[in-house]
Amino acid sequence: TLFRSSIRSLEALDWQLVTIIPEAFIQERLENYTILITGLVASVLFILALVVLYAFQHLLLELEENAKHQERFKSLLGNAPSVIAICDHDFNFVEINPYGLEFFDVVEEDQALYDYNEKLLPPFQPDGTPSKEGLAVYLADAKKNGYVEFTWNYCTSKGELLPSEVVIVESNLHGE
């Protein structure tokens, strides 16, 4: 009867499987999982380090290549036997090559870039057009067509007229 009553009491309960696992087994499993997780984390970090190293190497190569291009550009700009100037949207010189400094009779580059922008333009061109208005028309034309060529008068730093053939090419430099 004891046997029967225990069966009946088991039937009345929801069946649940209870397993007793020794503590040493649990500890061993935890250590194994810890080793596995540590290995995975180390692998992910190693792969991430390789990706960062690869990206860094490409960045260095790109910087070296850019430095070479800049050096070539500066060499061309510095050795060109004609005036080459980089101007802002208001046609003020931002950079000018050595031949341009000599052409405008400017002693130092900083003077050309800051002091002489206004002085290098005569108030009027030979056809009577105010220089600033005429430049605005040519700049708009260069923006529209990508470039424009025209005859123009500049002045030296001492005010002497310099008849010139000008080519303006619209381009972006550092997003400007």
Side-chain angles (χ1 to χ4, degrees):
T1 55
L2 180 59
F3 181 71
R4 280 187 186 185
S5 66
S6 64
I7 290 177
R8 284 188 189 141
S9 66
L10 285 176
E11 289 173 356
L13 296 174
D14 286 335
W15 284 90
Q16 295 182 3
L17 177 62
V18 177
T19 306
I20 299 174
I21 301 173
E23 190 173 316
F25 181 78
I26 293 174
Q27 187 64 33
E28 183 182 330
R29 288 285 187 211
L30 283 175
E31 288 173 6
N32 288 343
Y33 288 135
T34 302
I35 291 169
L36 179 67
I37 290 172
T38 303
L40 286 173
V41 168
S43 297
V44 168
L45 289 176
F46 180 73
I47 291 170
L48 183 62
L50 287 176
V51 168
V52 168
L53 181 64
Y54 179 79
F56 186 68
Q57 285 176 333
H58 275 276
L59 179 63
L60 284 177
L61 289 173
E62 200 172 301
L63 288 173
E64 287 175 9
E65 193 66 27
N66 284 343
K68 287 178 188 175
H69 288 295
Q70 258 187 341
E71 190 176 314
R72 286 184 197 139
F73 174 75
K74 290 217 178 234
S75 175
L76 287 171
L77 188 68
N79 296 316
S82 58
V83 178
I84 299 176
I86 298 173
C87 301
D88 63 15
H89 295 289
D90 297 322
F91 211 68
N92 293 314
F93 293 124
V94 174
E95 191 167 335
I96 189 168
N97 68 341
Y99 186 86
L101 295 174
E102 184 180 320
F103 181 79
F104 289 117
D105 196 26
V106 174
V107 179
E108 295 178 28
E109 184 176 4
D110 287 344
Q111 287 180 318
L113 298 179
Y114 303 110
D115 297 340
Y116 288 106
N117 277 313
E118 294 282 328
K119 295 177 187 175
L120 299 178
L121 284 178
F124 296 94
Q125 291 299 306
D127 66 357
T129 304
S131 291
K132 286 188 177 187
E133 288 177 23
L135 272 180
V137 170
Y138 287 122
L139 286 172
D141 200 19
K143 286 181 183 187
K144 179 181 174 187
N145 300 316
Y147 78 98
V148 66
E149 296 180 43
F150 56 96
T151 303
W152 194 254
N153 280 343
Y154 281 102
C155 293
T156 66
S157 62
K158 296 174 183 165
E160 300 166 2
L161 282 180
L162 295 169
S164 307
E165 289 295 319
V166 178
V167 177
I168 298 175
V169 177
E170 176 73 12
S171 66
N172 279 332
L173 183 64
H174 306 295
E176 297 179 16

